[in-house]
Amino acid sequence: MIIAVDGPAASGKGTIARALAAHYKLPHLDTGLLYRAVGQTVLDRGGDPASALDAFEACDFADALLADPRLKLAAAGNAASVVSAHGSVRQALMDRQRAFAAQPGGAVLDGRDIGTVIAPDADAKLFVRATSAIRARRRYEELVRAGVATSFDRVLADIKARDLRDSTRAAAPLRQAEDAMLLDTSYMSIESAISRAIALVESRR
Ligand SMILES: Nc1ncnc2c1ncn2[C@@H]1O[C@H](COP(=O)(O)OP(=O)(O)O)[C@@H](O)[C@H]1O
Ligand SMILES: Nc1ccn([C@@H]2O[C@H](COP(=O)(O)OP(=O)(O)O)[C@@H](O)[C@H]2O)c(=O)n1
């Protein structure tokens, strides 16, 4: 079974995807990490995320980078949102994601374009959303817990800028697939969001 989980920043899609993977005993891929690794590599090389060439060349990042805690920070997230608008970057990361989805037994992938581009034939597709203020609050609290000095307003501005870039780019913009099931987690606890996600997947089995 292939499960596609898409949605904007800090909507809870990663939490839900990990829980679905544990529930159904499937491997999970956080595809945002791949774009974050490309963004971080461009920054580390002193390049410009807006340059299609710098971004494409950074797609050769070493796999060890995927475990780097810097990828969780706002700098990598913002750079990821810029490099991910280049069609050449999306193309370079596509085979790896499609191969992950196609492994025997299936997989759970979360990102922005899993249900629309990477796995359009997924057995179950969820589109997870929450208001931008609630998402910013969650991300802000996550960063504070990790000891990062930031402000709520800054996190909210980053999230809004990323939402706008991700949903208006020409290449695989963030959007709900027509056959995706909507899950608004704004006023749900993590536990309720996970239970609801499992119920929605079950409805498609
Ligand atoms: N329903 C929820 N209620 C409250 N906090 C949540 C909920 N879902 C996720 N979170 C928290 O919000 C933060 C972002 O969640 P995450 O799953 O990483 O989002 P995404 O993968 O969409 O960026 C995490 O700290 C997570 O624990
Ligand atoms: N499948 C994906 C996943 C992420 N991305 C890009 O990568 C950035 C970081 O994604 P992420 O999922 O790690 O970000 P969060 O939602 O965790 O904040 C996003 O803002 C998107 O621009 C994408 O374009 N396509």
Side-chain angles (χ1 to χ4, degrees):
M1 173 169 60
I2 299 176
I3 305 177
V5 186
D6 290 301
S11 54
K13 62 188 176 303
T15 302
I16 287 170
R18 276 193 304 278
L20 287 171
H23 182 80
Y24 291 108
K25 299 191 170 41
L26 292 171
H28 165 234
L29 180 65
D30 169 0
T31 65
L33 263 191
L34 304 177
Y35 291 94
R36 284 172 179 265
V38 175
Q40 187 66 52
T41 299
V42 172
L43 298 179
D44 288 348
R45 291 178 182 171
D48 176 6
S51 151
L53 184 62
D54 287 358
F56 179 69
E57 286 180 353
C59 292
D60 69 352
F61 65 83
D63 272 7
L65 181 63
L66 296 173
D68 189 325
R70 291 181 305 157
L71 296 194
K72 299 282 175 209
L73 301 179
N78 293 335
S81 164
V82 177
V83 298
S84 69
H86 300 302
S88 55
V89 169
R90 306 202 71 83
Q91 195 64 42
L93 299 181
M94 188 174 288
D95 287 353
R96 177 179 190 150
Q97 296 174 77
R98 287 210 165 137
F100 193 92
Q103 61 192 296
V108 182
L109 289 86
D110 78 87
R112 300 291 186 290
D113 63 340
I114 308 304
T116 51
V117 175
I118 300 299
D121 297 329
D123 301 282
K125 300 180 186 179
L126 297 182
F127 191 83
V128 184
R129 74 171 185 204
T131 68
S132 52
I134 287 173
R135 290 185 286 124
R137 173 64 53 193
R138 291 177 184 167
R139 186 51 43 91
Y140 171 69
E141 286 173 356
E142 200 177 5
L143 290 168
V144 168
R145 277 199 301 275
V148 177
T150 187
S151 71
F152 172 78
D153 288 346
R154 182 161 183 191
V155 174
L156 179 61
D158 277 353
I159 278 196
K160 285 187 170 169
R162 215 133 65 77
D163 283 356
L164 184 67
R165 263 199 306 269
D166 291 352
S167 52
T168 55
R169 68 185 176 215
L174 168 68
R175 67 174 179 83
Q176 182 177 351
E178 276 176 15
D179 52 351
M181 299 173 283
L182 183 63
L183 177 50
D184 191 322
T185 69
S186 300
Y187 304 103
M188 281 185 180
S189 65
I190 291 182
E191 294 72 24
S192 334
I194 291 172
S195 306
R196 182 73 190 134
I198 293 172
L200 289 172
V201 171
E202 285 297 310
S203 75
R204 291 291 161 101
R205 292 237 284 167

